[in-house]
Amino acid sequence: MPRLGWASSGGGKVAPAVIVHGGAGAVPQGEFADRLEVLIEARQAAWQIAAAGGDAVSAAVAAVVILEDSPLFNAGTGSALNRDGFVEMDAAVMDGESRAFGGVAAVRDVKNPVVLAREVMNSEHVLLACEGASRFARERGIPAFDPAALITARQIERWRQARRRNLGEKSGTVGAVVMDAAGRLAAATSTGGMPDQRVGRVGDTPLPGAGSYAEAGLGAASGTGYGEYFMRSLAAFRAVSALRGMEPPAALRSALGEIASLGGHGGMIMIDSAARTFWDYNTESMCTAWRDSRGEGAACQR
Ligand code: GLY
């Protein structure tokens, strides 16, 4: 493992840390290598921004944009199709420093929902949905994107499988957590939701504390899994809050244990206040890539 130096640019006082995920679930083994390649690209993009003195929010958003643009993941291009056969996406960004949060839900016509979520975060709102989110995008100069261009052959096949037997690989939500060189934390998450979900169904991703959470001096987390259970347990908030009395591995275990006790499963990535990256899951697999002062890596299974 390479040992990394302390970031010195941008007046930073800490080593940055980045961790990204491409969803937890039953990722086909044959896709591990391709997914890891994109995750490493996303990690590097975030790392370069953070190490050059950029802010954690910009770094996390940059990483998620790369993952949204990859058809391999269930976010942006390549999102799951809902019951009527089209895409509705959720995304969120949280700045741990200001505790500002921006979410978009069931948005259909933007290429990168995470970019729109950042615009919401920088407005007077916390969450915008459906048509209202689209109108807000246009106001902020984010162009309309052809919803048909978000649909991939892979997701059409997955949708067919889900409709036939309610089966199919459901992983692919993406997320990034960053601590920048000034010690600021941010989390960003993006998803196309669940295959064959009801029109208008919104998951945990755009809701503060459910799919994403960041709090200065404590930690930040981004989750992936069955959103209903993440919402009911406020999973990301639960995991970060647990850092008050637990080490990060125990905090993640406890949040995932709570989800499991409700009947759900998933995974989560985290950075603590010491700029250390962590991840855990209670599904078959979870693809992540990380880099901090202890080293770097990428894996789909522990
Ligand atoms: N975690 C993504 C979703 O349930 O929509």
Side-chain angles (χ1 to χ4, degrees), residues 84-142:
D84 283 4
F86 61 87
V87 164
E88 289 186 318
M89 302 167 290
D90 303 336
V93 181
M94 185 162 187
D95 176 359
E97 205 65 16
S98 60
R99 215 90 63 86
F101 187 99
V104 292
V107 63
R108 300 176 181 178
D109 64 351
V110 296
K111 184 164 180 277
N112 294 111
V114 73
V115 172
L116 181 55
R118 185 183 189 165
E119 292 297 329
V120 174
M121 188 186 83
N122 292 331
S123 76
E124 71 273 36
H125 302 298
V126 167
L127 180 62
L128 287 175
C130 311
E131 171 65 20
S134 295
R135 286 192 203 172
F136 179 75
R138 305 300 98 79
E139 281 171 32
R140 294 285 176 136
I142 296 173

Short mmCIF file of all heavy atoms in Angstrom, two decimals, residues 84-142:
data_model
loop_
_atom_site.label_atom_id
_atom_site.label_comp_id
_atom_site.label_asym_id
_atom_site.label_seq_id
_atom_site.Cartn_x
_atom_site.Cartn_y
_atom_site.Cartn_z
N ASP A 84 -43.55 2.20 -15.06
CA ASP A 84 -44.01 2.62 -16.39
C ASP A 84 -42.89 2.64 -17.43
O ASP A 84 -43.09 3.08 -18.56
CB ASP A 84 -44.64 4.02 -16.31
CG ASP A 84 -46.04 3.98 -15.72
OD1 ASP A 84 -46.47 2.87 -15.30
OD2 ASP A 84 -46.71 5.02 -15.67
N GLY A 85 -41.69 2.20 -17.02
CA GLY A 85 -40.60 2.04 -17.98
C GLY A 85 -39.80 3.30 -18.24
O GLY A 85 -39.13 3.40 -19.28
N PHE A 86 -39.84 4.27 -17.34
CA PHE A 86 -38.95 5.42 -17.50
C PHE A 86 -38.18 5.68 -16.21
O PHE A 86 -38.39 5.00 -15.20
CB PHE A 86 -39.71 6.65 -18.00
CG PHE A 86 -40.80 7.15 -17.09
CD1 PHE A 86 -40.53 8.05 -16.08
CD2 PHE A 86 -42.12 6.73 -17.28
CE1 PHE A 86 -41.53 8.52 -15.25
CE2 PHE A 86 -43.13 7.20 -16.45
CZ PHE A 86 -42.83 8.09 -15.44
N VAL A 87 -37.27 6.64 -16.28
CA VAL A 87 -36.33 6.89 -15.19
C VAL A 87 -36.82 8.03 -14.30
O VAL A 87 -37.23 9.08 -14.80
CB VAL A 87 -34.93 7.23 -15.77
CG1 VAL A 87 -34.03 7.86 -14.73
CG2 VAL A 87 -34.28 5.99 -16.37
N GLU A 88 -36.77 7.82 -12.98
CA GLU A 88 -36.95 8.92 -12.01
C GLU A 88 -35.80 8.82 -11.02
O GLU A 88 -35.62 7.78 -10.38
CB GLU A 88 -38.29 8.79 -11.28
CG GLU A 88 -39.47 9.09 -12.15
CD GLU A 88 -40.79 9.11 -11.38
OE1 GLU A 88 -40.99 8.22 -10.53
OE2 GLU A 88 -41.60 10.00 -11.63
N MET A 89 -35.04 9.89 -10.89
CA MET A 89 -33.80 9.83 -10.12
C MET A 89 -33.85 10.69 -8.85
O MET A 89 -34.51 11.74 -8.81
CB MET A 89 -32.65 10.33 -11.00
CG MET A 89 -32.46 9.54 -12.29
SD MET A 89 -31.35 10.36 -13.46
CE MET A 89 -32.31 11.77 -13.97
N ASP A 90 -33.13 10.23 -7.84
CA ASP A 90 -32.96 10.96 -6.58
C ASP A 90 -31.47 11.25 -6.37
O ASP A 90 -30.63 10.41 -6.73
CB ASP A 90 -33.42 10.13 -5.39
CG ASP A 90 -34.87 9.66 -5.46
OD1 ASP A 90 -35.66 10.30 -6.16
OD2 ASP A 90 -35.18 8.65 -4.80
N ALA A 91 -31.16 12.38 -5.75
CA ALA A 91 -29.76 12.67 -5.42
C ALA A 91 -29.70 13.67 -4.27
O ALA A 91 -30.68 14.39 -4.01
CB ALA A 91 -29.02 13.25 -6.64
N ALA A 92 -28.55 13.71 -3.61
CA ALA A 92 -28.39 14.64 -2.49
C ALA A 92 -26.93 15.01 -2.30
O ALA A 92 -26.03 14.25 -2.67
CB ALA A 92 -28.91 14.03 -1.20
N VAL A 93 -26.73 16.19 -1.70
CA VAL A 93 -25.40 16.65 -1.31
C VAL A 93 -25.54 17.26 0.08
O VAL A 93 -26.50 17.99 0.34
CB VAL A 93 -24.88 17.75 -2.27
CG1 VAL A 93 -23.49 18.19 -1.86
CG2 VAL A 93 -24.87 17.26 -3.70
N MET A 94 -24.57 16.97 0.94
CA MET A 94 -24.57 17.62 2.26
C MET A 94 -23.18 18.13 2.58
O MET A 94 -22.19 17.43 2.41
CB MET A 94 -25.05 16.68 3.35
CG MET A 94 -25.16 17.38 4.70
SD MET A 94 -26.18 16.51 5.89
CE MET A 94 -26.23 17.74 7.21
N ASP A 95 -23.15 19.36 3.06
CA ASP A 95 -21.92 20.02 3.50
C ASP A 95 -21.86 19.95 5.02
O ASP A 95 -22.68 20.56 5.71
CB ASP A 95 -21.97 21.48 3.01
CG ASP A 95 -20.80 22.30 3.49
OD1 ASP A 95 -19.93 21.77 4.21
OD2 ASP A 95 -20.75 23.50 3.15
N GLY A 96 -20.88 19.19 5.53
CA GLY A 96 -20.81 19.00 6.98
C GLY A 96 -20.50 20.27 7.74
O GLY A 96 -20.87 20.42 8.91
N GLU A 97 -19.82 21.20 7.07
CA GLU A 97 -19.39 22.42 7.74
C GLU A 97 -20.59 23.30 8.11
O GLU A 97 -20.72 23.75 9.24
CB GLU A 97 -18.45 23.18 6.80
CG GLU A 97 -17.48 24.10 7.45
CD GLU A 97 -16.48 23.38 8.33
OE1 GLU A 97 -16.32 22.14 8.22
OE2 GLU A 97 -15.86 24.05 9.17
N SER A 98 -21.45 23.54 7.13
CA SER A 98 -22.61 24.43 7.33
C SER A 98 -23.87 23.63 7.66
O SER A 98 -24.88 24.21 8.01
CB SER A 98 -22.87 25.22 6.05
OG SER A 98 -23.14 24.33 4.98
N ARG A 99 -23.80 22.32 7.53
CA ARG A 99 -24.96 21.41 7.63
C ARG A 99 -26.01 21.77 6.58
O ARG A 99 -27.19 21.48 6.74
CB ARG A 99 -25.54 21.47 9.04
CG ARG A 99 -26.09 20.16 9.56
CD ARG A 99 -25.06 19.31 10.31
NE ARG A 99 -24.52 19.87 11.50
CZ ARG A 99 -25.08 19.79 12.70
NH1 ARG A 99 -26.23 19.20 12.87
NH2 ARG A 99 -24.46 20.30 13.75
N ALA A 100 -25.57 22.40 5.48
CA ALA A 100 -26.49 22.65 4.36
C ALA A 100 -26.74 21.34 3.64
O ALA A 100 -25.82 20.52 3.48
CB ALA A 100 -25.89 23.66 3.40
N PHE A 101 -27.98 21.14 3.19
CA PHE A 101 -28.36 19.90 2.51
C PHE A 101 -29.19 20.25 1.29
O PHE A 101 -30.07 21.11 1.35
CB PHE A 101 -29.18 19.02 3.46
CG PHE A 101 -29.47 17.64 2.92
CD1 PHE A 101 -28.71 16.55 3.32
CD2 PHE A 101 -30.51 17.43 2.01
CE1 PHE A 101 -28.97 15.27 2.81
CE2 PHE A 101 -30.77 16.16 1.51
CZ PHE A 101 -30.00 15.08 1.91
N GLY A 102 -28.93 19.59 0.18
CA GLY A 102 -29.76 19.75 -1.02
C GLY A 102 -30.14 18.40 -1.57
O GLY A 102 -29.27 17.54 -1.74
N GLY A 103 -31.43 18.20 -1.83
CA GLY A 103 -31.88 16.93 -2.39
C GLY A 103 -32.82 17.17 -3.56
O GLY A 103 -33.53 18.19 -3.62
N VAL A 104 -32.80 16.24 -4.51
CA VAL A 104 -33.81 16.24 -5.59
C VAL A 104 -34.41 14.85 -5.64
O VAL A 104 -33.73 13.84 -5.43
CB VAL A 104 -33.22 16.63 -6.96
CG1 VAL A 104 -32.81 18.09 -6.96
CG2 VAL A 104 -32.05 15.74 -7.35
N ALA A 105 -35.73 14.80 -5.91
CA ALA A 105 -36.44 13.52 -5.89
C ALA A 105 -37.27 13.37 -7.15
O ALA A 105 -37.88 14.34 -7.62
CB ALA A 105 -37.34 13.45 -4.66
N ALA A 106 -37.29 12.16 -7.68
CA ALA A 106 -38.12 11.80 -8.83
C ALA A 106 -37.93 12.78 -9.99
O ALA A 106 -38.90 13.18 -10.64
CB ALA A 106 -39.59 11.73 -8.42
N VAL A 107 -36.69 13.15 -10.23
CA VAL A 107 -36.40 14.07 -11.34
C VAL A 107 -36.14 13.24 -12.60
O VAL A 107 -35.52 12.17 -12.54
CB VAL A 107 -35.24 15.02 -10.95
CG1 VAL A 107 -33.95 14.27 -10.72
CG2 VAL A 107 -35.04 16.08 -12.00
N ARG A 108 -36.65 13.72 -13.75
CA ARG A 108 -36.65 12.88 -14.95
C ARG A 108 -35.79 13.39 -16.09
O ARG A 108 -35.55 12.65 -17.04
CB ARG A 108 -38.09 12.79 -15.49
CG ARG A 108 -39.05 12.19 -14.51
CD ARG A 108 -40.46 12.24 -15.08
NE ARG A 108 -41.42 11.67 -14.14
CZ ARG A 108 -42.73 11.62 -14.36
NH1 ARG A 108 -43.24 12.10 -15.48
NH2 ARG A 108 -43.53 11.10 -13.46
N ASP A 109 -35.37 14.61 -16.05
CA ASP A 109 -34.81 15.18 -17.28
C ASP A 109 -33.53 15.97 -17.05
O ASP A 109 -33.32 17.02 -17.67
CB ASP A 109 -35.86 16.06 -17.96
CG ASP A 109 -36.25 17.26 -17.12
OD1 ASP A 109 -35.84 17.30 -15.94
OD2 ASP A 109 -36.93 18.15 -17.63
N VAL A 110 -32.69 15.50 -16.14
CA VAL A 110 -31.35 16.11 -16.03
C VAL A 110 -30.32 15.00 -16.18
O VAL A 110 -30.58 13.84 -15.84
CB VAL A 110 -31.12 16.86 -14.69
CG1 VAL A 110 -32.05 18.04 -14.55
CG2 VAL A 110 -31.22 15.92 -13.52
N LYS A 111 -29.18 15.34 -16.70
CA LYS A 111 -28.13 14.34 -16.90
C LYS A 111 -27.48 13.97 -15.58
O LYS A 111 -27.16 12.81 -15.34
CB LYS A 111 -27.09 14.91 -17.87
CG LYS A 111 -25.98 13.95 -18.25
CD LYS A 111 -25.25 14.46 -19.49
CE LYS A 111 -24.11 13.55 -19.91
NZ LYS A 111 -22.89 13.81 -19.16
N ASN A 112 -27.26 14.98 -14.73
CA ASN A 112 -26.55 14.75 -13.48
C ASN A 112 -27.36 15.30 -12.30
O ASN A 112 -27.19 16.46 -11.89
CB ASN A 112 -25.17 15.41 -13.52
CG ASN A 112 -24.27 14.75 -14.55
OD1 ASN A 112 -23.94 15.31 -15.58
ND2 ASN A 112 -23.89 13.51 -14.29
N PRO A 113 -28.20 14.47 -11.72
CA PRO A 113 -29.02 14.93 -10.60
C PRO A 113 -28.21 15.48 -9.43
O PRO A 113 -28.68 16.36 -8.70
CB PRO A 113 -29.79 13.68 -10.18
CG PRO A 113 -29.71 12.74 -11.32
CD PRO A 113 -28.52 13.11 -12.15
N VAL A 114 -26.99 14.98 -9.26
CA VAL A 114 -26.18 15.46 -8.12
C VAL A 114 -25.82 16.94 -8.29
O VAL A 114 -25.70 17.68 -7.31
CB VAL A 114 -24.93 14.58 -7.91
CG1 VAL A 114 -23.87 14.81 -8.99
CG2 VAL A 114 -24.34 14.78 -6.52
N VAL A 115 -25.67 17.37 -9.54
CA VAL A 115 -25.36 18.79 -9.80
C VAL A 115 -26.57 19.65 -9.44
O VAL A 115 -26.45 20.73 -8.84
CB VAL A 115 -24.96 18.98 -11.28
CG1 VAL A 115 -24.83 20.45 -11.64
CG2 VAL A 115 -23.65 18.24 -11.57
N LEU A 116 -27.76 19.14 -9.76
CA LEU A 116 -28.99 19.85 -9.39
C LEU A 116 -29.16 19.87 -7.87
O LEU A 116 -29.56 20.88 -7.28
CB LEU A 116 -30.19 19.18 -10.08
CG LEU A 116 -31.56 19.78 -9.83
CD1 LEU A 116 -31.60 21.27 -10.18
CD2 LEU A 116 -32.63 19.03 -10.63
N ALA A 117 -28.82 18.76 -7.23
CA ALA A 117 -28.92 18.71 -5.76
C ALA A 117 -28.02 19.77 -5.13
O ALA A 117 -28.39 20.42 -4.13
CB ALA A 117 -28.54 17.32 -5.26
N ARG A 118 -26.86 19.97 -5.71
CA ARG A 118 -25.96 21.01 -5.18
C ARG A 118 -26.59 22.40 -5.33
O ARG A 118 -26.44 23.25 -4.45
CB ARG A 118 -24.62 20.95 -5.90
CG ARG A 118 -23.64 21.92 -5.30
CD ARG A 118 -22.33 21.98 -6.02
NE ARG A 118 -21.41 22.78 -5.24
CZ ARG A 118 -20.11 22.81 -5.42
NH1 ARG A 118 -19.56 22.10 -6.35
NH2 ARG A 118 -19.36 23.56 -4.66
N GLU A 119 -27.27 22.61 -6.46
CA GLU A 119 -27.96 23.90 -6.64
C GLU A 119 -29.04 24.08 -5.59
O GLU A 119 -29.23 25.18 -5.07
CB GLU A 119 -28.56 23.99 -8.05
CG GLU A 119 -27.53 24.08 -9.16
CD GLU A 119 -26.68 25.34 -9.08
OE1 GLU A 119 -27.16 26.39 -8.61
OE2 GLU A 119 -25.50 25.27 -9.46
N VAL A 120 -29.76 23.01 -5.29
CA VAL A 120 -30.79 23.09 -4.24
C VAL A 120 -30.14 23.42 -2.90
O VAL A 120 -30.63 24.25 -2.14
CB VAL A 120 -31.60 21.77 -4.16
CG1 VAL A 120 -32.56 21.80 -2.97
CG2 VAL A 120 -32.36 21.53 -5.46
N MET A 121 -29.00 22.78 -2.65
CA MET A 121 -28.29 23.05 -1.39
C MET A 121 -27.92 24.52 -1.28
O MET A 121 -27.93 25.10 -0.18
CB MET A 121 -27.04 22.18 -1.31
CG MET A 121 -26.33 22.23 0.02
SD MET A 121 -24.77 21.33 0.02
CE MET A 121 -23.69 22.55 -0.70
N ASN A 122 -27.61 25.13 -2.41
CA ASN A 122 -27.21 26.54 -2.41
C ASN A 122 -28.40 27.48 -2.57
O ASN A 122 -28.22 28.65 -2.92
CB ASN A 122 -26.19 26.79 -3.52
CG ASN A 122 -24.86 26.09 -3.22
OD1 ASN A 122 -24.50 25.90 -2.06
ND2 ASN A 122 -24.14 25.69 -4.26
N SER A 123 -29.60 26.97 -2.35
CA SER A 123 -30.80 27.81 -2.41
C SER A 123 -31.43 27.86 -1.01
O SER A 123 -30.87 27.34 -0.05
CB SER A 123 -31.81 27.22 -3.41
OG SER A 123 -32.45 26.08 -2.85
N GLU A 124 -32.64 28.41 -0.94
CA GLU A 124 -33.33 28.48 0.35
C GLU A 124 -34.02 27.16 0.68
O GLU A 124 -34.61 27.02 1.74
CB GLU A 124 -34.34 29.64 0.35
CG GLU A 124 -35.57 29.44 -0.53
CD GLU A 124 -35.38 29.87 -1.99
OE1 GLU A 124 -34.27 29.69 -2.53
OE2 GLU A 124 -36.34 30.37 -2.59
N HIS A 125 -33.94 26.17 -0.23
CA HIS A 125 -34.67 24.91 -0.04
C HIS A 125 -33.74 23.78 0.37
O HIS A 125 -32.51 23.88 0.25
CB HIS A 125 -35.37 24.52 -1.35
CG HIS A 125 -36.32 25.56 -1.84
ND1 HIS A 125 -37.42 25.96 -1.13
CD2 HIS A 125 -36.31 26.32 -2.97
CE1 HIS A 125 -38.06 26.91 -1.80
NE2 HIS A 125 -37.40 27.15 -2.91
N VAL A 126 -34.35 22.69 0.80
CA VAL A 126 -33.61 21.48 1.13
C VAL A 126 -33.94 20.37 0.13
O VAL A 126 -33.07 19.58 -0.24
CB VAL A 126 -33.92 21.02 2.57
CG1 VAL A 126 -33.42 19.60 2.83
CG2 VAL A 126 -33.26 21.97 3.58
N LEU A 127 -35.17 20.31 -0.33
CA LEU A 127 -35.58 19.20 -1.19
C LEU A 127 -36.58 19.69 -2.24
O LEU A 127 -37.56 20.35 -1.89
CB LEU A 127 -36.24 18.11 -0.33
CG LEU A 127 -36.75 16.85 -1.01
CD1 LEU A 127 -35.62 16.08 -1.67
CD2 LEU A 127 -37.42 15.94 0.03
N LEU A 128 -36.32 19.39 -3.49
CA LEU A 128 -37.26 19.70 -4.57
C LEU A 128 -37.54 18.42 -5.36
O LEU A 128 -36.63 17.60 -5.56
CB LEU A 128 -36.68 20.76 -5.52
CG LEU A 128 -36.63 22.20 -4.99
CD1 LEU A 128 -35.93 23.10 -5.99
CD2 LEU A 128 -38.03 22.73 -4.67
N ALA A 129 -38.80 18.26 -5.80
CA ALA A 129 -39.20 17.01 -6.45
C ALA A 129 -39.84 17.25 -7.81
O ALA A 129 -40.37 18.33 -8.09
CB ALA A 129 -40.18 16.26 -5.55
N CYS A 130 -39.78 16.21 -8.64
CA CYS A 130 -40.54 16.08 -9.89
C CYS A 130 -40.41 17.33 -10.77
O CYS A 130 -39.32 17.84 -10.98
CB CYS A 130 -42.02 15.80 -9.57
SG CYS A 130 -42.27 14.51 -8.38
N GLU A 131 -41.54 17.79 -11.26
CA GLU A 131 -41.58 18.92 -12.20
C GLU A 131 -40.94 20.18 -11.60
O GLU A 131 -40.24 20.93 -12.29
CB GLU A 131 -43.05 19.17 -12.59
CG GLU A 131 -43.33 20.43 -13.38
CD GLU A 131 -42.69 20.41 -14.76
OE1 GLU A 131 -42.37 19.31 -15.24
OE2 GLU A 131 -42.51 21.50 -15.33
N GLY A 132 -41.17 20.37 -10.30
CA GLY A 132 -40.60 21.56 -9.64
C GLY A 132 -39.08 21.52 -9.67
O GLY A 132 -38.42 22.57 -9.84
N ALA A 133 -38.51 20.33 -9.50
CA ALA A 133 -37.05 20.20 -9.56
C ALA A 133 -36.55 20.51 -10.98
O ALA A 133 -35.52 21.16 -11.16
CB ALA A 133 -36.64 18.80 -9.14
N SER A 134 -37.31 20.05 -11.98
CA SER A 134 -36.92 20.32 -13.37
C SER A 134 -36.95 21.82 -13.66
O SER A 134 -36.05 22.36 -14.30
CB SER A 134 -37.86 19.59 -14.33
OG SER A 134 -37.74 18.20 -14.18
N ARG A 135 -38.02 22.47 -13.21
CA ARG A 135 -38.12 23.93 -13.46
C ARG A 135 -36.98 24.67 -12.78
O ARG A 135 -36.39 25.59 -13.33
CB ARG A 135 -39.45 24.45 -12.91
CG ARG A 135 -40.61 24.08 -13.76
CD ARG A 135 -41.82 24.87 -13.34
NE ARG A 135 -43.02 24.17 -13.73
CZ ARG A 135 -44.24 24.53 -13.38
NH1 ARG A 135 -44.42 25.58 -12.58
NH2 ARG A 135 -45.29 23.86 -13.77
N PHE A 136 -36.66 24.23 -11.56
CA PHE A 136 -35.56 24.85 -10.83
C PHE A 136 -34.24 24.65 -11.59
O PHE A 136 -33.39 25.54 -11.65
CB PHE A 136 -35.49 24.26 -9.42
CG PHE A 136 -34.38 24.81 -8.58
CD1 PHE A 136 -34.45 26.09 -8.05
CD2 PHE A 136 -33.25 24.05 -8.32
CE1 PHE A 136 -33.42 26.61 -7.26
CE2 PHE A 136 -32.21 24.55 -7.53
CZ PHE A 136 -32.30 25.82 -7.01
N ALA A 137 -34.08 23.46 -12.18
CA ALA A 137 -32.86 23.18 -12.96
C ALA A 137 -32.71 24.20 -14.09
O ALA A 137 -31.63 24.75 -14.30
CB ALA A 137 -32.91 21.76 -13.53
N ARG A 138 -33.81 24.44 -14.80
CA ARG A 138 -33.73 25.39 -15.92
C ARG A 138 -33.38 26.77 -15.40
O ARG A 138 -32.57 27.48 -16.00
CB ARG A 138 -35.06 25.47 -16.69
CG ARG A 138 -35.65 24.16 -17.23
CD ARG A 138 -34.77 23.44 -18.22
NE ARG A 138 -33.99 22.37 -17.62
CZ ARG A 138 -34.45 21.15 -17.32
NH1 ARG A 138 -35.68 20.81 -17.56
NH2 ARG A 138 -33.64 20.25 -16.79
N GLU A 139 -34.00 27.17 -14.27
CA GLU A 139 -33.69 28.48 -13.68
C GLU A 139 -32.20 28.61 -13.37
O GLU A 139 -31.63 29.69 -13.47
CB GLU A 139 -34.46 28.68 -12.36
CG GLU A 139 -35.90 29.08 -12.54
CD GLU A 139 -36.63 29.04 -11.19
OE1 GLU A 139 -36.00 29.29 -10.14
OE2 GLU A 139 -37.83 28.72 -11.21
N ARG A 140 -31.61 27.49 -12.97
CA ARG A 140 -30.19 27.52 -12.60
C ARG A 140 -29.26 27.22 -13.78
O ARG A 140 -28.07 26.96 -13.58
CB ARG A 140 -29.95 26.50 -11.48
CG ARG A 140 -30.65 26.85 -10.18
CD ARG A 140 -29.91 27.99 -9.50
NE ARG A 140 -30.58 28.44 -8.30
CZ ARG A 140 -29.98 28.73 -7.15
NH1 ARG A 140 -28.68 28.60 -7.05
NH2 ARG A 140 -30.66 29.17 -6.12
N GLY A 141 -29.83 27.17 -14.98
CA GLY A 141 -29.00 26.98 -16.17
C GLY A 141 -28.62 25.54 -16.45
O GLY A 141 -27.70 25.29 -17.25
N ILE A 142 -29.28 24.60 -15.80
CA ILE A 142 -29.01 23.17 -16.09
C ILE A 142 -29.96 22.75 -17.20
O ILE A 142 -31.18 22.76 -17.02
CB ILE A 142 -29.21 22.30 -14.83
CG1 ILE A 142 -28.19 22.71 -13.76
CG2 ILE A 142 -29.10 20.82 -15.17
CD1 ILE A 142 -28.39 22.05 -12.42
#
